[in-house]
Amino acid sequence: RRFREALERSPREEIERVRGDRIRVLLAETDYNLDQIASLTGYGSGAHLVTAFRRLEGCTPGKYRAKYRDN
């Protein structure tokens, strides 16, 4: 309850936010494949990472990476 009062989100939501931030950095700044990124961010597989990333970001990791690599 205190956590939610302080950050205005649940512990699970905060964990997902931090994981999402790390995924975005790894996609933009490395050539790691999805399985490597999944391993580094606590997902069981690249497929699980894709599902979670789509929910968080609204696009696939590949499209996100392409967008930031083109800039």
Side-chain angles (χ1 to χ4, degrees), residues 4 26 36-39 43 49 51 58 66:
R4 183 178 285 284
L26 291 169
Q36 290 170 311
I37 294 173
S39 177
Y43 289 96
L49 180 139
T51 301

Side-chain angles (χ1 to χ4, degrees), residues 5-41:
E5 289 170 4
L7 296 179
E8 298 183 358
R9 59 185 158 267
S10 71
R12 178 185 172 94
E13 290 167 334
E14 178 64 8
I15 290 167
E16 288 298 314
R17 187 193 67 75
V18 170
R19 287 167 109 186
D21 289 349
R22 183 71 175 136
I23 293 166
R24 287 181 201 92
V25 168
L26 291 169
L27 288 170
E29 297 180 3
T30 72
D31 290 325
Y32 294 161
N33 66 41
L34 293 179
D35 287 330
Q36 290 170 311
I37 294 173
S39 177
L40 292 169
T41 56

